[in-house]
Amino acid sequence: MNIPYFPSRTYRRNFRRLQRQFGLLVLFNLFLLDSYGQQTISKTPVFVGHLQDSLGEPISGASIMQRGKGIVAVSDRHGTFRLHLVKTTAILVQHVGFEALELDVRATPDSSQQHWVMKRKSSFLDMVTVTASTLPKELRQISSSVSILQKDAPELRQLQSIDEALSYMPGVMVDRSRGLTTTGTHTGVILRGTGSANRTLVLKDGVPINDAYTGGVSEWNSLATNSIERIEVVRGPGSSIYGSSSMGGTINLVTQKPTDALLLGADLRYGSMNTYQASVKLGKRFAKRWGAVAFAEYKATDGYAYMADSLWKDYYQKPQTSLLNINTKLTYDFDNGGTLAATADFNRQKPLTGTSILYDESSMTGNYQLRYQNNKARFAPDILAYYNVQSRMTTALNWNAKEEAFNSTSYLSRVPLDTYGIIAKVSHRVGINDLTVGADLRFTEVVSRKEYPDKGMQNFNGRQDFVSLFVNDDVRFSDKLHANLGLRLDHWANRDGYFFDNLSGKEVTIDYDAARSTVLTPKVGLTYELLTNLRLRSVYATGFRAPAAYYMYNAAPLGSSFRLGNPELKPERMRYAIDFGADLQLMEQLELSATVYTSEYSDFLAAVLIDPEEVPSYFDPGNLPVRQYINIGKVGLWGVESAVKYRVSSALTTQVSYFYNQSEIKKYETNPEYVGREMSDNPHSIYSAALIYDHPRVGHASIWGRHTGAFFGDLENTVEKKMESVTVVDLKLARSFGPIGVNFTVNNLFDKLYFGSYTSAKSYYYAPARTILLGINYNL
């Protein structure tokens, strides 16, 4: 029989005491281990990283992987993550929208936070624009229709002039009727069929270069073609940011800055019409903070007979042209992240052309800028001061049939133009808002002196000043929904208007009253990222253009008519422009972009025929018909812009663009019969296409074609002045052998004979026939 064992009371008491002592010992050891662990962790260096994109925006949700351990951290909404490291460790940072980042990192006890920039996966929506907003923004956050050409774009290869690169963009019409021989004052770029080049604002590094004489861009050739970093085209009114002239759109020519790598290159080309083109470039950052870069370019051509044989006389002068550009930039980087940049440009152009009158012209232009920027500051400043000076001189000589020489002076002309100003703005992030507040002061002076030997003088001058305030806000409602809001107040004044004429033997002096007004231009735009590769956008914007001095005060023959100024002109107003668009990218191969727009502008300026009896008696138009500049009514526009780019392979790309525009005069105060007619210089459709092969070992080959539809040469829509449709094809070839390359260009490959512009009832100007250029270049 088994009898159960029951421990004694003394034994049980001693056992319980032992349990308590053992438990206390275990707890004490656990405490020691925990303390030791805490001390060990506290002694382990902490690495703090911060992830951001190219615009400084934090990247949240990125995975940080450590070799052998997998994911060890995830970046928070501020883009920050922390790692405990005891030695140099290889980590991999991954995010669905960015390229992977591999780094070897090591933390020390005194480590400070390190910032890493992740590059977005290849997408044209990730390109950054500095023109469509007051702050640099990715295209996916911009509501406007924007095109960007980077310096390595095939459109920027082997150029004769910068505006040539714009010919293949939807919504853009380039008017360079006589090729390189076209002087700067006769070159025009028209956006969205607005009918005039001076309704497009052109910037150089953010500074308007439209002159105060006519409001157009007088010197499209004033920048060396090899100095361009990129060209940005923003379609639709941009007056909420830039003020006057941005009605059809804005073009910004962004020049190169010095880089850490040495920039060294030279290019020499020669071809048809005895055309020379040579350029050099040199630049580099040095001494840690300084940087300098310089570009120089020289062009010359003998021109061609630009009229039909039946109109061209033996003594007519082919339009010879020579051009020199020098563009320089000096930069200095401060400790606080700010940069100071000083820019100095010089341009000299000497065209010579003539029929019964020989025009021996010379123009010199100087552009100077001083700019301080600090995008890293909490209140980011951007202060830009500039001064542009230009002088145009013309000697007009009559043909002397008896002596068979141009030896009788018709007139001597000199037109100096001075423009100076300052654009100051400060940007600050407040919650979901990127807010910019700024002021823009611009002052211009125009002086026109024209002397007719043995007859007298005819002079005019005036000033045009702008005082402007603006506020812009880029709102980030979510990762998908963004808004662009803008409002600008411009007060402009044309003053000191003066006219002097003694050609009739009696002095006529006129002091014009000042003209001024205040214009408010708002903008509201939305973008929605439906998918990571698909955005929808819409925008409502307004614009205006103040009348320039030439249209207000000048009175002189121009072409086939006598032009009479009007000191009572009002600003043209883009009452509204509404866009709806979409941009899509598929598998990094196919890019699609399309925009439908409608707009209306009023008080548009045009030179209309008036009764000679309405001309003041102190003007003598001779037997010429008289046209006076007046604000005559309303114009309605609507159209479609579209572009497709498909990468067949890594080396082969094809692209197509289509632009359709319909214009209609809705109101014409002086002649109701004009209502329903089309604006001049406005083709209904423009097609362009290109096939581009670019391989680093094989070379570059591309063929470009563009079709421009028919359009009228005048507001009367005269059938005899209608420009017929035309299709032109260009070819570019290039091959590199190390740092040395050769290139071959054919413009108008099939030698198409067509009219580039209409000038009078008896003469059309032929565009250049087939031209061939052969070049050699060196790039370090």
Side-chain angles (χ1 to χ4, degrees):
M1 179 176 176
N2 295 325
I3 301 175
Y5 170 75
F6 294 97
S8 65
R9 182 179 297 174
T10 302
Y11 177 83
R12 290 197 299 271
R13 186 167 52 249
N14 291 336
F15 182 74
R16 285 194 296 270
R17 184 183 298 114
L18 182 63
Q19 281 182 315
R20 286 195 298 271
Q21 291 175 350
F22 181 76
L24 290 172
L25 180 63
V26 170
L27 290 174
F28 179 72
N29 279 278
L30 289 174
F31 173 76
L32 291 177
L33 288 171
D34 181 69
S35 299
Y36 176 78
Q38 292 290 342
Q39 292 175 7
T40 302
I41 292 175
S42 64
K43 291 181 180 178
T44 301
V46 178
F47 178 86
V48 181
H50 179 82
L51 300 174
Q52 62 187 41
D53 61 20
S54 59
L55 296 176
E57 296 286 345
I59 301 173
S60 62
S63 301
I64 291 84
M65 305 179 69
Q66 187 173 337
R67 184 175 298 171
K69 294 186 178 181
I71 298 175
V72 293
V74 176
S75 61
D76 61 21
R77 64 188 182 91
H78 301 294
T80 303
F81 65 90
R82 291 173 173 80
L83 300 175
H84 295 279
L85 302 175
V86 294
K87 62 179 181 178
T88 301
T89 304
I91 67 170
L92 176 67
V93 184
Q94 290 184 320
H95 190 283
V96 66
F98 297 83
E99 295 181 4
L101 191 64
E102 296 184 53
L103 295 165
D104 291 328
V105 300
R106 179 176 182 178
T108 60
D110 59 348
S111 287
S112 59
Q113 184 171 329
Q114 296 190 24
H115 293 259
W116 295 339
V117 177
M118 296 187 72
K119 184 179 179 182
R120 283 192 179 271
K121 290 182 178 178
S122 177
S123 171
F124 74 98
L125 294 179
D126 301 321
M127 298 178 70
V128 176
T129 172
V130 298
T131 309
S133 174
T134 51
L135 286 171
K137 289 290 177 182
E138 293 173 345
L139 288 185
R140 66 179 65 250
Q141 301 179 31
I142 295 298
S143 55
S144 300
S145 173
V146 182
S147 296
I148 299 177
L149 292 179
Q150 305 281 9
K151 63 181 178 182
D152 56 351
E155 288 90 337
L156 290 173
R157 278 181 174 266
Q158 298 156 223
L159 291 180
Q160 283 191 293
S161 60
I162 291 176
D163 51 292
E164 178 186 331
L166 306 175
S167 300
Y168 303 97
M169 286 188 174
V172 181
M173 179 181 175
V174 177
D175 179 13
R176 182 177 279 271
S177 59
R178 298 203 304 256
L180 187 61
T181 68
T182 308
T183 59
T185 54
H186 294 93
T187 301
V189 175
I190 302 172
L191 290 182
R192 285 193 170 176
T194 51
S196 175
N198 50 26
R199 296 186 184 111
T200 297
L201 180 66
V202 182
L203 311 171
K204 176 188 171 294
D205 292 329
V207 173
I209 58 175
N210 295 59
D211 65 51
Y213 190 62
T214 64
V217 181
S218 58
E219 300 300 341
W220 262 105
N221 292 326
S222 64
L223 279 177
T225 55
N226 63 347
S227 70
I228 295 297
E229 175 68 25
R230 66 182 181 275
I231 300 176
E232 299 188 10
V233 176
V234 183
R235 302 172 190 85
S239 292
S240 64
I241 301 177
Y242 300 105
S244 179
S245 296
S246 183
M247 293 178 63
T250 305
I251 300 171
N252 193 10
L253 309 174
V254 183
T255 59
Q256 296 182 42
K257 298 178 180 178
T259 59
D260 291 330
L262 176 64
L263 179 68
L264 177 61
D267 194 340
L268 178 63
R269 304 171 73 197
Y270 178 77
S272 305
M273 297 183 284
N274 196 31
T275 300
Y276 296 89
Q277 185 171 345
S279 63
V280 294
K281 56 185 178 182
L282 174 64
K284 193 182 187 310
R285 286 171 52 87
F286 58 93
K288 295 184 179 179
R289 299 184 184 278
W290 292 92
V293 64
F295 305 88
E297 181 178 53
Y298 177 77
K299 305 174 189 176
T301 182
D302 285 351
Y304 65 101
Y306 51 86
M307 292 183 187
D309 292 341
S310 60
L311 297 174
W312 190 263
K313 308 299 182 182
D314 292 339
Y315 62 87
Y316 284 4
Q317 175 67 53
K318 294 181 180 179
Q320 300 176 6
T321 300
S322 66
L323 180 74
L324 174 66
N325 286 315
I326 300 175
N327 308 117
T328 63
K329 185 175 293 186
L330 180 68
T331 63
Y332 180 82
D333 297 325
F334 294 91
D335 285 333
N336 63 358
T339 300
L340 183 67
T343 302
D345 300 329
F346 172 79
N347 162 258
R348 187 193 68 192
Q349 187 172 202
K350 294 180 68 64
L352 180 68
T353 183
T355 53
S356 58
I357 298 178
L358 179 69
Y359 297 95
D360 186 357
E361 301 176 77
S362 175
S363 67
M364 289 185 291
T365 303
N367 297 320
Y368 309 96
Q369 294 183 22
L370 186 64
R371 186 172 195 171
Y372 175 77
Q373 289 178 287
N374 188 351
N375 292 330
K376 296 182 179 180
R378 184 180 178 188
F379 291 89
D382 186 349
I383 303 172
L384 194 160
Y386 61 92
Y387 175 59
N388 299 337
V389 57
Q390 187 177 126
S391 179
R392 307 176 190 170
M393 292 169 285
T394 301
T395 300
L397 301 173
N398 292 316
W399 171 253
N400 188 325
K402 292 182 179 181
E403 299 181 15
E404 296 187 346
F406 290 99
N407 57 9
S408 173
T409 302
S410 175
Y411 66 85
L412 303 172
S413 172
R414 183 174 183 271
V415 181
L417 306 171
D418 288 334
T419 303
Y420 56 93
I422 184 169
I423 305 172
K425 58 187 178 181
V426 61
S427 303
H428 179 59
R429 170 163 292 182
V430 183
I432 62 173
N433 304 276
D434 284 336
L435 193 64
T436 301
V437 179
D440 187 350
L441 308 178
R442 178 179 172 89
F443 307 98
T444 63
E445 182 175 6
V446 178
V447 179
S448 176
R449 300 283 184 263
K450 186 176 288 187
E451 179 182 355
Y452 295 84
D454 303 324
K455 293 182 180 180
M457 300 182 65
Q458 186 183 76
N459 308 328
F460 75 89
N461 57 263
R463 292 184 57 86
Q464 187 176 80
D465 301 335
F466 292 89
V467 177
S468 312
L469 301 174
F470 59 89
V471 57
N472 279 263
D473 191 9
D474 293 309
V475 188
R476 185 173 184 172
F477 294 111
S478 67
D479 289 340
K480 295 181 177 293
L481 182 62
H482 298 83
N484 307 130
L485 309 175
L487 185 65
R488 179 170 169 131
L489 182 71
D490 285 276
H491 178 77
W492 70 273
N494 277 24
R495 52 191 181 86
D496 296 343
Y498 173 80
F499 182 87
F500 174 84
D501 187 320
N502 63 0
L503 296 179
S504 63
K506 182 171 61 176
E507 289 189 2
V508 177
T509 302
I510 305 174
D511 289 306
Y512 294 104
D513 294 334
R516 58 172 59 89
S517 70
T518 300
V519 182
L520 191 67
T521 50
K523 174 185 177 181
V524 179
L526 290 173
T527 63
Y528 182 72
E529 203 167 321
L530 191 62
L531 302 170
T532 56
N533 61 346
L534 172 64
R535 72 159 175 168
L536 306 178
R537 49 184 166 78
S538 63
V539 63
Y540 164 84
T542 62
F544 80 102
R545 178 174 75 102
Y550 178 85
Y551 303 113
M552 299 183 76
Y553 309 130
N554 188 36
L558 179 65
S560 58
S561 65
F562 183 89
R563 299 298 175 95
L564 183 63
N566 183 354
E568 298 180 359
L569 290 174
K570 299 181 292 185
E572 294 182 326
R573 298 292 303 274
M574 180 66 79
R575 296 294 177 180
Y576 66 83
I578 301 174
D579 291 15
F580 294 98
D583 304 287
L584 172 68
Q585 179 166 9
L586 294 177
M587 303 176 64
E588 301 182 8
Q589 289 182 300
L590 180 65
E591 296 176 7
L592 298 170
S593 180
T595 304
V596 178
Y597 67 89
T598 180
S599 59
E600 180 184 277
Y601 64 95
S602 62
D603 296 321
F604 77 91
L605 176 66
V608 301
L609 289 169
I610 65 172
D611 193 318
E613 294 181 359
E614 299 179 33
V615 179
S617 59
Y618 43 80
F619 293 124
D620 181 16
N623 296 321
L624 294 175
V626 180
R627 288 182 177 269
Q628 185 176 32
Y629 297 101
I630 63 173
N631 300 105
I632 57 176
K634 294 181 181 179
V635 175
L637 302 167
W638 71 272
V640 178
E641 303 157 347
S642 60
V644 180
K645 179 182 289 186
Y646 180 67
R647 296 179 178 88
V648 181
S649 67
S650 60
L652 185 62
T653 303
T654 182
Q655 61 186 49
V656 178
S657 72
Y658 171 66
F659 170 62
Y660 177 84
N661 184 83
Q662 182 69 50
S663 68
E664 180 182 350
I665 298 177
K666 293 185 174 182
K667 182 180 180 182
Y668 199 102
E669 295 178 355
T670 61
N671 192 341
E673 293 182 1
Y674 280 51
V675 174
R677 294 178 179 175
E678 300 178 13
M679 289 298 292
S680 58
D681 300 320
N682 182 40
H684 281 191
S685 58
I686 301 177
Y687 302 84
S688 70
L691 184 64
I692 304 159
Y693 180 81
D694 207 340
H695 193 283
R697 291 194 300 272
V698 178
H700 172 92
S702 59
I703 188 164
W704 304 77
R706 61 186 176 276
H707 173 84
T708 303
F711 60 91
F712 290 106
D714 61 359
L715 290 176
E716 289 79 13
N717 289 185
T718 308
V719 175
E720 291 79 13
K721 299 180 182 180
K722 189 173 184 178
M723 306 294 291
E724 299 300 327
S725 60
V726 62
T727 302
V728 180
V729 177
D730 302 329
L731 175 68
K732 298 180 182 181
L733 301 173
R735 176 70 190 275
S736 295
F737 303 89
I740 298 176
V742 293
N743 57 76
F744 178 73
T745 307
V746 183
N747 295 319
N748 195 357
L749 178 65
F750 298 111
D751 202 19
K752 181 74 174 181
L753 181 64
Y754 66 100
F755 296 120
S757 68
Y758 170 86
T759 57
S760 71
K762 294 184 178 180
S763 72
Y764 285 88
Y765 284 173
Y766 283 123
R770 179 169 51 225
T771 58
I772 299 173
L773 291 169
L774 181 63
I776 184 171
N777 58 275
Y778 172 85
N779 286 288
L780 184 63

